[in-house]
């Protein structure tokens, strides 16, 4: 059995390489119009385990093969299946991610280290605020972040000619100037040599494929990266009125991007809902916004690292707090609760699950709950007994009669008196499954045999009364 290796540090510059590839390579390919790709928090645990188990060089092999599998999945048109996602799950996903972003970036805005999990981030906020109050540097850092948010909010109130400059860019520039002018004690961005961090996988890394265990890691990377990208695409499509995502092509584009990232030894790539929502909210209209994301990263990281080093981290945290707030669908929650409480519950459970676990598993929980709700509604049937005192007793069935409601249906029918004629109206049923059909036929035979008249059954568009009392079902 393979022993665990010494834990290795993954250079942060590899994330920049992934962001550049995600913007330029994936952005140029067909698929989504406004979705931005790059390294994502959802794969952090997988990256850590892969590097800890197989070593940093093997990460490139894992990502490269996962990218090729994504291309194959897109070519087989498997991406379109990710369109089968409930609107409430999408909005719950956005809300959950928004809460995690806000909680995590409040720590970053104050220059504090955030806990790892989403739930710990939220639970730890009271203690973090107490720590902030006891530190002048933390309060100054938090003020820079708050000022960034304020500029972005107020920027939308300015004349249209001024708003040609994106509010986020204006806020970062102002925060940078203020920090530099007053020599504020806040952390700034650190960027080392970008080219030095690129290490294509060598022969030793490819040798890791001799172990069977690595293929489980590759499959996990493939499925989670694909799911996060296409779930994100569904959410981004809800944010704009432009061209819809072509899911199969987007999956192939993500695969090509990951193949390139793997060849460069960089981190795996997915579509990132935070960057994508910031892209949409900044007024992006065309695919050029995806590409420019990578272009600007390349220019600043490779040619102007000194300029990046001036940007205060609290300003970037403020931008993310603002983006996270906009992800939470506050205006939709109350109307949804009033009209569709089941959907509101799915939204809430999905959001809480993402905070408590992670995005991928949280969405799966929301999807599972949505399927259960749909199954329950599909099995809903109403049985109405009409007894006017004279003439036959009428039993009207409407909705969808399935085996799930069979005990309730039979209990009501078997309680009908035997000394009165009975008419069963099935014309209001949308669906009658085999179990219900067989049970109704058996009940009708028993009731007809012991009653004074055979059961009369009314189907969709027809009325029958058989001496045998056999109930017939709609086709």
């Amino acid at each position: 059995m393979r022993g665990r290796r010494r834990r290795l540090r993954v250079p942060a510059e590899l994330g920049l390489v992934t962001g550049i590839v995600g913007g330029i390579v994936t952005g140029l390919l067909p698929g989504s119009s406004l979705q931005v790709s790059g390294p994502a928090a959802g794969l952090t645990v997988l990256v850590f385990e892969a590097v800890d188990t197989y070593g940093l060089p093997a990460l490139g092999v894992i990502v490269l093969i996962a990218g090729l599998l994504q291309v194959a999945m897109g070519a087989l048109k498997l991406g379109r299946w990710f369109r089968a996602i409930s609107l409430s799950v999408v909005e719950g996903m956005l809300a959950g991610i928004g809460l995690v972003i806000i909680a995590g970036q409040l720590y970053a805005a104050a220059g504090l280290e955030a806990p790892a999990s989403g739930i710990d981030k939220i639970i730890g906020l009271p203690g973090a605020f107490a720590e902030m109050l006891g530190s002048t540097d933390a309060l100054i850092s938090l003020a820079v972040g708050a000022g960034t948010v304020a500029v972005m909010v107020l920027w939308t109130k300015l004349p249209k000619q001024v708003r040609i400059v994106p509010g986020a860019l204006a806020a970062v520039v102002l925060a940078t100037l203020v920090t530099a002018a007053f020599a504020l004690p806040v952390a700034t961005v650190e960027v080392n040599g970008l080219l030095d961090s690129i290490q294509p996988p060598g022969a030793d890394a490819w040798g890791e494929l001799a172990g069977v265990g690595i293929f489980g890691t590759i499959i996990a990377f493939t499925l989670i990266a694909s799911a996060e990208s296409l779930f994100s695409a569904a959410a981004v499509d809800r944010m704009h009125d432009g061209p819809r995502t072509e899911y199969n092509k987007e999956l192939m584009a993500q695969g090509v991007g990951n193949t390139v990232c793997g060849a460069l030894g960089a981190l795996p790539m997915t579509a990132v809902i935070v960057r994508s929502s910031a892209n949409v909210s900044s007024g992006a209209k065309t695919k050029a916004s995806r590409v420019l994301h990578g272009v600007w990263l390349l220019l600043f990281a490779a040619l102007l690292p000194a300029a990046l080093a001036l940007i205060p981290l609290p300003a970037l945290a403020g931008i993310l707090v603002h983006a996270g707030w906009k992800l939470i669908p506050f205006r939709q929650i109350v109307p949804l609760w009033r009209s569709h409480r089941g959907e509101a519950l799915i939204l809430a459970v999905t959001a809480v699950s993402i905070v408590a676990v992670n995005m991928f598993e949280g969405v799966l929980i929301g999807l599972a709950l949505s399927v259960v709700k749909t199954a329950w509604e599909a099995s809903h049937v109403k049985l109405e007994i009409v007894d006017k005192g004279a003439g036959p007793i009428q039993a009207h069935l409407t909705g969808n009669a399935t085996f799930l409601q069979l005990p309730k249906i039979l209990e009501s029918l078997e309680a009908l008196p035997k000394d009165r004629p009975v008419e069963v109206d099935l014309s209001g049923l949308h669906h009658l499954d085999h179990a219900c059909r067989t049970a109704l036929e058996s009940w009708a035979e028993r009731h007809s045999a012991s009653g004074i008249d055979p059961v009369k059954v009314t189907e969709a568009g027809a009325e029958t009364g058989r001496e045998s009392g056999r109930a017939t079902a709609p086709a």
Side-chain angles (χ1 to χ4, degrees):
M1 183 175 178
R2 179 183 300 274
R4 298 183 69 82
R5 299 183 177 179
R6 180 177 59 88
R7 293 181 177 178
L8 300 174
R9 175 183 177 272
V10 178
E13 290 74 27
L14 292 180
L16 288 176
V17 175
T18 300
I20 293 168
V21 173
I24 298 176
V25 177
T26 304
L28 287 171
L29 296 174
S32 176
S33 57
L34 301 180
Q35 185 164 248
V36 177
S37 301
L43 294 175
T44 302
V45 175
L46 278 178
V47 170
F48 174 82
E49 290 295 332
V51 172
D52 190 37
T53 304
Y54 304 105
L56 182 58
L59 179 63
V61 174
I62 293 171
V63 175
L64 190 154
I65 297 178
L68 293 176
L69 290 177
Q70 286 182 298
V71 173
M73 289 169 61
L76 293 173
K77 301 189 183 301
L78 299 180
R80 61 190 179 92
W81 291 102
F82 287 89
R83 300 185 66 180
I85 180 171
S86 164
L87 175 60
S88 297
V89 174
V90 172
E91 292 183 338
M93 178 182 75
L94 294 176
I97 293 172
L99 290 172
V100 172
I101 290 171
I102 292 171
Q105 295 306 313
L106 286 175
Y107 291 89
L112 304 177
E113 184 176 351
S117 69
I119 192 68
D120 288 341
K121 287 182 175 70
I122 293 177
I123 294 175
L125 281 176
F129 280 119
E131 185 178 349
M132 294 176 200
L133 294 176
S135 171
T136 302
D137 288 352
L139 289 175
I140 293 174
S141 182
L142 187 63
V144 173
T148 303
V149 175
V151 170
M152 293 183 67
V153 173
L154 296 175
W155 199 259
T156 60
K157 311 295 183 183
L158 297 178
K160 188 175 181 180
Q161 294 82 353
V162 178
R163 287 187 281 115
I164 294 177
V165 178
L169 177 60
V172 169
V173 170
L174 288 174
T176 302
L177 293 175
V178 169
T179 300
F182 294 94
L184 298 180
V186 298
T188 56
V189 176
E190 295 182 10
V191 180
N192 297 317
L194 191 63
L195 295 178
D196 294 338
S197 65
I198 297 176
Q199 296 291 335
D204 291 343
W206 287 98
E208 295 289 345
L209 295 177
V212 178
I214 195 172
F215 290 98
T217 302
I218 292 171
I219 292 173
F221 269 89
T222 303
L223 294 180
I224 295 178
S226 301
E228 289 205 11
S229 293
L230 298 183
F231 288 158
S232 173
V236 173
D237 281 350
R238 290 277 304 161
M239 299 178 186
H240 66 90
D241 299 324
R244 305 293 91 182
T245 298
E246 298 179 75
Y247 282 71
N248 294 318
K249 292 181 179 179
E250 178 64 13
L251 183 55
M252 294 180 72
Q254 294 291 328
V256 171
N258 271 320
T259 302
V260 175
C261 287
L264 297 175
L267 299 181
M269 177 186 70
T270 70
V272 185
I273 187 63
V274 180
R275 299 187 190 108
S276 302
S277 62
N279 190 41
V280 175
S281 63
S282 297
K285 299 296 182 183
T286 68
K287 284 174 64 69
S289 60
R290 300 180 75 187
V291 180
L292 287 174
H293 170 81
V295 170
W296 289 121
L297 277 178
L298 176 61
L299 290 178
F300 276 91
L303 303 179
L304 299 171
L308 286 179
L310 298 175
I311 299 176
L313 288 178
L316 301 181
I319 290 175
L320 291 176
V321 168
H322 183 265
W325 181 266
K326 296 185 72 173
L327 289 177
I328 304 175
F330 291 105
R331 295 182 180 178
Q332 286 82 10
I333 293 175
V334 173
L336 188 64
W337 176 256
R338 291 174 178 171
S339 57
H340 302 285
R341 294 195 174 183
E343 295 296 326
L345 179 63
I346 292 173
L347 188 156
V349 170
T350 303
V352 171
S353 299
I354 288 174
V355 172
V357 190
N358 57 50
M359 174 181 159
F360 181 67
E361 294 181 13
V363 169
L364 290 183
I365 291 171
L367 287 174
L369 189 59
S370 182
V371 170
V372 170
K373 175 180 176 291
T374 301
W376 173 258
E377 291 180 344
S379 65
H380 181 72
V381 64
K382 180 180 180 182
L383 174 60
E384 183 180 8
I385 305 296
V386 179
D387 185 358
K388 297 181 180 179
I393 298 174
Q394 298 177 340
H396 300 277
L397 280 165
T398 56
N400 298 284
T402 69
F403 70 94
L404 295 174
Q405 297 294 331
L406 190 53
K408 177 182 177 181
I409 296 172
L410 290 178
E411 182 179 348
S412 299
L413 293 177
E414 288 171 350
L416 296 177
K418 303 293 192 299
D419 59 350
R420 299 273 301 281
V422 176
E423 295 180 353
V424 179
D425 181 10
L426 304 179
S427 61
L429 288 177
H430 302 299
H431 174 69
L432 181 64
D433 72 6
H434 178 70
C436 269
R437 177 188 311 187
T438 303
L440 284 175
E441 290 175 352
S442 298
W443 167 81
E445 288 179 351
R446 293 194 305 271
H447 192 94
S448 297
S450 59
I452 61 173
D453 287 313
V455 175
K456 184 178 292 186
V457 179
T458 302
E459 304 176 27
E463 182 176 300
T464 62
R466 298 188 181 183
E467 293 295 329
S468 65
R470 287 182 63 81
T472 57

Coordinates of all heavy atoms in Angstrom, one line a residue, residues 30-98:
P30 N -16.4 27.7 -27.9 CA -17.8 27.9 -27.8 C -18.3 27.2 -26.5 O -17.7 26.3 -26.0 CB -18.4 27.2 -29.0 CG -17.3 26.3 -29.5 CD -16.0 26.9 -29.1
G31 N -19.4 27.7 -26.0 CA -20.0 27.1 -24.8 C -20.9 28.1 -24.1 O -22.0 28.4 -24.5
S32 N -20.3 28.8 -23.1 CA -21.0 29.8 -22.4 C -20.5 31.2 -22.9 O -19.4 31.3 -23.4 CB -20.7 29.7 -20.9 OG -21.3 30.8 -20.1
S33 N -21.4 32.2 -22.7 CA -21.0 33.5 -23.2 C -20.4 34.4 -22.1 O -19.5 35.1 -22.4 CB -22.3 34.2 -23.7 OG -23.3 34.3 -22.7
L34 N -20.8 34.2 -20.9 CA -20.3 35.2 -19.9 C -19.6 34.4 -18.7 O -19.2 35.1 -17.7 CB -21.4 36.0 -19.3 CG -22.1 36.9 -20.4 CD1 -23.3 37.7 -19.8 CD2 -21.2 37.8 -21.1
Q35 N -19.6 33.1 -18.7 CA -19.1 32.4 -17.6 C -17.5 32.5 -17.5 O -16.9 32.3 -18.6 CB -19.5 30.9 -17.6 CG -19.1 30.1 -16.5 CD -19.9 28.8 -16.4 OE1 -20.7 28.6 -15.5 NE2 -19.6 27.9 -17.4
V36 N -17.0 32.7 -16.4 CA -15.5 32.9 -16.2 C -15.0 31.6 -15.5 O -15.5 31.1 -14.5 CB -15.2 34.1 -15.4 CG1 -13.7 34.2 -15.2 CG2 -15.7 35.4 -16.1
S37 N -13.8 31.1 -16.0 CA -13.3 29.9 -15.5 C -11.9 30.1 -14.8 O -11.2 31.1 -15.2 CB -13.1 28.8 -16.6 OG -14.3 28.5 -17.2
G38 N -11.6 29.3 -13.9 CA -10.3 29.4 -13.2 C -10.2 28.4 -12.0 O -11.1 27.5 -12.0
P39 N -9.3 28.6 -11.1 CA -9.2 27.7 -10.0 C -10.4 27.9 -9.1 O -10.9 29.1 -8.9 CB -7.9 28.1 -9.3 CG -7.7 29.5 -9.7 CD -8.2 29.6 -11.1
A40 N -10.9 26.9 -8.4 CA -12.1 27.0 -7.6 C -11.9 26.3 -6.3 O -11.2 25.3 -6.1 CB -13.3 26.4 -8.3
A41 N -12.6 26.9 -5.3 CA -12.5 26.4 -3.9 C -13.0 25.0 -3.8 O -12.6 24.2 -2.9 CB -13.2 27.3 -2.9
G42 N -14.0 24.7 -4.6 CA -14.7 23.4 -4.6 C -13.7 22.2 -4.8 O -14.0 21.1 -4.4
L43 N -12.6 22.4 -5.4 CA -11.6 21.4 -5.7 C -10.4 21.4 -4.7 O -9.5 20.6 -4.9 CB -11.1 21.5 -7.1 CG -12.1 21.2 -8.2 CD1 -11.5 21.5 -9.6 CD2 -12.6 19.8 -8.1
T44 N -10.5 22.3 -3.7 CA -9.3 22.5 -2.9 C -9.0 21.2 -2.1 O -7.8 20.8 -2.0 CB -9.6 23.6 -1.8 OG1 -9.9 24.8 -2.5 CG2 -8.4 23.8 -0.9
V45 N -10.0 20.5 -1.6 CA -9.7 19.3 -0.8 C -9.1 18.2 -1.7 O -8.2 17.5 -1.3 CB -11.0 18.8 -0.1 CG1 -10.8 17.5 0.6 CG2 -11.5 19.9 0.9
L46 N -9.7 18.1 -2.9 CA -9.2 17.1 -3.8 C -7.7 17.4 -4.2 O -6.9 16.5 -4.3 CB -10.0 17.1 -5.1 CG -11.3 16.2 -5.0 CD1 -12.1 16.4 -6.3 CD2 -11.1 14.8 -4.7
V47 N -7.4 18.7 -4.5 CA -6.0 19.0 -4.8 C -5.1 18.7 -3.6 O -4.0 18.1 -3.8 CB -6.0 20.5 -5.2 CG1 -4.5 21.0 -5.3 CG2 -6.7 20.8 -6.5
F48 N -5.5 19.0 -2.4 CA -4.7 18.8 -1.3 C -4.4 17.3 -1.1 O -3.3 16.8 -0.9 CB -5.4 19.3 0.0 CG -4.7 18.9 1.3 CD1 -3.6 19.7 1.7 CD2 -5.1 17.8 2.0 CE1 -3.0 19.4 2.9 CE2 -4.4 17.5 3.2 CZ -3.4 18.2 3.6
E49 N -5.5 16.5 -1.2 CA -5.3 15.0 -1.1 C -4.5 14.4 -2.2 O -3.6 13.5 -2.0 CB -6.7 14.3 -1.1 CG -7.5 14.6 0.2 CD -6.8 14.0 1.4 OE1 -6.1 13.0 1.3 OE2 -7.0 14.6 2.5
A50 N -4.6 14.9 -3.4 CA -3.9 14.4 -4.6 C -2.4 14.7 -4.4 O -1.5 13.9 -4.6 CB -4.4 15.0 -5.9
V51 N -2.1 16.0 -4.0 CA -0.7 16.4 -3.9 C -0.1 15.6 -2.7 O 1.1 15.2 -2.7 CB -0.6 17.9 -3.7 CG1 0.8 18.3 -3.3 CG2 -1.0 18.6 -5.0
D52 N -0.8 15.5 -1.6 CA -0.3 14.8 -0.4 C 0.0 13.4 -0.7 O 0.9 12.8 -0.1 CB -1.3 15.0 0.7 CG -0.8 14.6 2.1 OD1 0.4 14.8 2.3 OD2 -1.5 13.9 2.8
T53 N -0.8 12.7 -1.5 CA -0.7 11.3 -1.8 C 0.3 11.0 -2.9 O 1.1 10.1 -2.8 CB -2.1 10.7 -2.1 OG1 -3.0 11.0 -1.0 CG2 -2.0 9.2 -2.3
Y54 N 0.2 11.7 -4.0 CA 1.0 11.4 -5.2 C 2.1 12.4 -5.5 O 2.9 12.1 -6.4 CB 0.0 11.3 -6.4 CG -1.1 10.3 -6.2 CD1 -2.4 10.7 -6.0 CD2 -0.8 8.9 -6.2 CE1 -3.4 9.8 -5.7 CE2 -1.8 8.0 -6.0 CZ -3.1 8.4 -5.8 OH -4.1 7.5 -5.5
G55 N 2.1 13.5 -4.8 CA 3.1 14.5 -5.1 C 2.6 15.6 -6.1 O 1.7 15.4 -6.9
L56 N 3.3 16.7 -6.0 CA 2.9 17.9 -6.8 C 3.0 17.6 -8.3 O 2.2 17.9 -9.1 CB 3.7 19.1 -6.4 CG 3.3 20.4 -7.2 CD1 1.9 20.8 -7.1 CD2 4.2 21.5 -6.7
P57 N 4.1 16.9 -8.8 CA 4.2 16.7 -10.2 C 3.1 15.8 -10.8 O 2.7 16.0 -12.0 CB 5.6 15.9 -10.4 CG 6.4 16.4 -9.2 CD 5.4 16.5 -8.1
A58 N 2.6 14.9 -10.0 CA 1.5 14.0 -10.5 C 0.2 14.8 -10.6 O -0.7 14.3 -11.3 CB 1.3 12.9 -9.5
L59 N 0.1 16.0 -10.0 CA -1.2 16.7 -10.1 C -1.4 17.1 -11.6 O -2.6 17.1 -12.1 CB -1.1 18.0 -9.3 CG -2.3 18.9 -9.4 CD1 -3.5 18.2 -8.8 CD2 -2.0 20.2 -8.6
G60 N -0.4 17.4 -12.3 CA -0.5 17.7 -13.8 C -1.1 16.6 -14.6 O -1.9 16.8 -15.4
V61 N -0.6 15.4 -14.3 CA -1.1 14.2 -14.9 C -2.6 14.0 -14.7 O -3.4 13.7 -15.5 CB -0.3 12.9 -14.5 CG1 -0.9 11.7 -15.1 CG2 1.2 13.1 -14.9
I62 N -3.0 14.1 -13.4 CA -4.4 13.9 -13.0 C -5.3 14.9 -13.7 O -6.3 14.6 -14.2 CB -4.5 14.1 -11.4 CG1 -3.8 13.0 -10.7 CG2 -5.9 14.1 -11.0 CD1 -3.6 13.1 -9.2
V63 N -4.8 16.2 -13.7 CA -5.7 17.3 -14.3 C -5.7 17.1 -15.8 O -6.8 17.2 -16.4 CB -5.1 18.6 -14.0 CG1 -5.9 19.7 -14.7 CG2 -5.1 18.9 -12.5
L64 N -4.6 16.7 -16.4 CA -4.6 16.5 -17.9 C -5.6 15.4 -18.3 O -6.4 15.5 -19.2 CB -3.2 16.2 -18.3 CG -2.9 16.1 -19.8 CD1 -1.4 16.5 -20.1 CD2 -3.2 14.8 -20.5
I65 N -5.5 14.2 -17.6 CA -6.4 13.1 -18.0 C -7.9 13.5 -17.7 O -8.8 13.1 -18.5 CB -6.0 11.8 -17.3 CG1 -4.6 11.4 -17.7 CG2 -6.9 10.7 -17.6 CD1 -4.0 10.2 -17.0
A66 N -8.1 14.2 -16.6 CA -9.5 14.6 -16.3 C -10.0 15.5 -17.4 O -11.2 15.4 -17.8 CB -9.5 15.3 -14.9
G67 N -9.1 16.4 -17.9 CA -9.6 17.2 -19.0 C -9.9 16.5 -20.2 O -10.9 16.8 -20.9
L68 N -9.1 15.4 -20.6 CA -9.5 14.6 -21.7 C -10.8 13.9 -21.5 O -11.6 13.7 -22.5 CB -8.3 13.6 -22.0 CG -7.0 14.2 -22.4 CD1 -5.9 13.1 -22.5 CD2 -7.1 14.9 -23.7
L69 N -11.0 13.4 -20.3 CA -12.3 12.8 -20.0 C -13.5 13.8 -20.2 O -14.6 13.4 -20.7 CB -12.3 12.2 -18.6 CG -11.4 11.0 -18.4 CD1 -11.4 10.5 -17.0 CD2 -11.8 9.8 -19.3
Q70 N -13.3 15.0 -19.8 CA -14.3 16.0 -20.0 C -14.6 16.2 -21.4 O -15.8 16.4 -21.8 CB -13.9 17.3 -19.3 CG -14.0 17.3 -17.8 CD -13.6 18.6 -17.2 OE1 -12.5 19.1 -17.3 NE2 -14.6 19.3 -16.5
V71 N -13.6 16.3 -22.2 CA -13.8 16.5 -23.7 C -14.6 15.3 -24.2 O -15.5 15.5 -25.0 CB -12.4 16.6 -24.4 CG1 -12.6 16.6 -25.9 CG2 -11.7 17.8 -24.0
A72 N -14.3 14.1 -23.8 CA -15.0 12.9 -24.3 C -16.4 13.0 -23.8 O -17.4 12.6 -24.6 CB -14.3 11.6 -23.7
M73 N -16.7 13.4 -22.6 CA -18.1 13.5 -22.1 C -18.9 14.5 -22.9 O -20.0 14.3 -23.2 CB -18.1 13.9 -20.6 CG -17.6 12.8 -19.7 SD -17.3 13.4 -18.0 CE -18.9 13.9 -17.5
G74 N -18.2 15.6 -23.2 CA -18.9 16.6 -24.1 C -19.2 16.1 -25.4 O -20.3 16.4 -26.0
A75 N -18.2 15.4 -26.0 CA -18.4 14.8 -27.4 C -19.6 13.8 -27.4 O -20.3 13.7 -28.4 CB -17.1 14.2 -27.9
L76 N -19.7 13.1 -26.3 CA -20.8 12.1 -26.1 C -22.2 12.8 -25.7 O -23.1 12.1 -25.5 CB -20.5 11.1 -25.1 CG -19.3 10.2 -25.5 CD1 -18.9 9.3 -24.3 CD2 -19.6 9.3 -26.7
K77 N -22.2 14.1 -25.7 CA -23.4 14.9 -25.4 C -23.9 14.6 -24.0 O -25.1 14.6 -23.8 CB -24.4 14.7 -26.4 CG -24.0 15.1 -27.8 CD -25.1 15.1 -28.8 CE -24.6 15.4 -30.2 NZ -23.9 16.7 -30.3
L78 N -23.1 14.4 -23.0 CA -23.5 14.1 -21.6 C -23.7 15.4 -20.9 O -24.4 15.4 -19.8 CB -22.5 13.3 -20.9 CG -22.2 11.9 -21.5 CD1 -21.2 11.2 -20.6 CD2 -23.5 11.1 -21.6
G79 N -23.2 16.5 -21.4 CA -23.3 17.8 -20.7 C -24.7 18.3 -20.6 O -25.1 19.0 -19.6
R80 N -25.6 18.0 -21.6 CA -27.0 18.5 -21.6 C -27.8 18.0 -20.4 O -28.8 18.6 -20.0 CB -27.7 18.1 -22.9 CG -27.8 16.6 -23.1 CD -28.3 16.3 -24.5 NE -28.4 14.9 -24.8 CZ -29.5 14.2 -24.6 NH1 -30.6 14.8 -24.1 NH2 -29.5 12.9 -24.9
W81 N -27.3 16.8 -19.8 CA -28.1 16.3 -18.6 C -28.0 17.2 -17.4 O -28.8 17.1 -16.5 CB -27.6 14.9 -18.3 CG -27.9 13.9 -19.4 CD1 -27.1 13.4 -20.3 CD2 -29.2 13.3 -19.6 NE1 -27.8 12.5 -21.1 CE2 -29.1 12.5 -20.7 CE3 -30.5 13.4 -19.0 CZ2 -30.2 11.7 -21.2 CZ3 -31.5 12.7 -19.4 CH2 -31.4 11.9 -20.6
F82 N -27.0 18.1 -17.4 CA -26.8 19.0 -16.3 C -27.9 20.1 -16.3 O -27.9 20.9 -15.4 CB -25.4 19.6 -16.2 CG -24.4 18.6 -15.8 CD1 -23.8 17.7 -16.7 CD2 -24.1 18.4 -14.4 CE1 -22.8 16.8 -16.3 CE2 -23.1 17.5 -14.0 CZ -22.5 16.7 -15.0
R83 N -28.6 20.2 -17.4 CA -29.7 21.2 -17.5 C -30.9 20.8 -16.7 O -31.7 21.7 -16.4 CB -30.1 21.4 -19.0 CG -29.1 21.8 -19.9 CD -29.6 22.1 -21.3 NE -30.5 23.2 -21.3 CZ -31.1 23.6 -22.4 NH1 -30.9 23.0 -23.6 NH2 -31.9 24.7 -22.4
A84 N -31.0 19.5 -16.3 CA -32.1 19.1 -15.5 C -31.8 19.4 -14.0 O -31.6 18.6 -13.2 CB -32.2 17.6 -15.6
I85 N -31.9 20.7 -13.7 CA -31.7 21.2 -12.4 C -32.8 22.2 -12.0 O -33.1 23.1 -12.8 CB -30.3 21.9 -12.2 CG1 -30.0 22.4 -10.8 CG2 -30.1 22.9 -13.3 CD1 -28.6 22.8 -10.6
S86 N -33.4 22.0 -10.9 CA -34.5 22.8 -10.4 C -34.0 24.3 -10.2 O -32.9 24.6 -9.8 CB -35.0 22.3 -9.1 OG -35.9 23.2 -8.4
L87 N -35.0 25.2 -10.5 CA -34.7 26.6 -10.3 C -34.4 26.9 -8.9 O -33.5 27.7 -8.5 CB -35.8 27.5 -10.8 CG -35.8 29.0 -10.6 CD1 -34.5 29.6 -11.3 CD2 -37.0 29.7 -11.1
S88 N -35.2 26.3 -8.0 CA -34.9 26.5 -6.5 C -33.6 26.0 -6.1 O -33.0 26.6 -5.2 CB -36.0 25.8 -5.7 OG -37.3 26.3 -6.0
V89 N -33.1 24.9 -6.7 CA -31.8 24.4 -6.4 C -30.7 25.5 -6.9 O -29.7 25.7 -6.2 CB -31.5 23.1 -7.0 CG1 -30.1 22.6 -6.8 CG2 -32.5 22.0 -6.5
V90 N -30.9 26.0 -8.1 CA -30.0 27.0 -8.6 C -29.9 28.2 -7.6 O -28.8 28.7 -7.3 CB -30.4 27.5 -10.0 CG1 -29.5 28.6 -10.5 CG2 -30.2 26.3 -11.0
E91 N -31.1 28.7 -7.3 CA -31.1 29.9 -6.4 C -30.6 29.6 -5.0 O -29.9 30.4 -4.4 CB -32.6 30.4 -6.3 CG -33.0 31.0 -7.6 CD -34.4 31.6 -7.5 OE1 -35.2 31.2 -6.6 OE2 -34.8 32.5 -8.4
G92 N -30.8 28.4 -4.5 CA -30.3 27.9 -3.3 C -28.7 27.8 -3.3 O -28.0 28.2 -2.4
M93 N -28.3 27.4 -4.5 CA -26.8 27.3 -4.7 C -26.2 28.7 -4.6 O -25.2 28.9 -4.0 CB -26.5 26.6 -6.1 CG -25.0 26.5 -6.4 SD -24.7 25.8 -8.0 CE -25.2 27.2 -9.1
L94 N -26.8 29.6 -5.3 CA -26.3 31.0 -5.3 C -26.3 31.6 -3.9 O -25.4 32.2 -3.5 CB -27.1 31.9 -6.2 CG -27.1 31.5 -7.7 CD1 -28.0 32.4 -8.5 CD2 -25.7 31.7 -8.2
A95 N -27.4 31.3 -3.2 CA -27.5 31.9 -1.8 C -26.5 31.2 -0.9 O -25.8 32.0 -0.1 CB -28.9 31.6 -1.3
G96 N -26.3 29.9 -1.0 CA -25.3 29.3 -0.1 C -23.9 29.8 -0.4 O -23.1 30.0 0.5
I97 N -23.6 29.9 -1.7 CA -22.2 30.4 -2.1 C -22.1 31.8 -1.6 O -21.0 32.2 -1.1 CB -22.0 30.2 -3.6 CG1 -22.0 28.8 -4.0 CG2 -20.8 30.9 -4.0 CD1 -22.0 28.5 -5.5
G98 N -23.1 32.6 -1.8 CA -23.0 34.0 -1.3 C -22.8 34.1 0.2 O -21.9 34.9 0.6

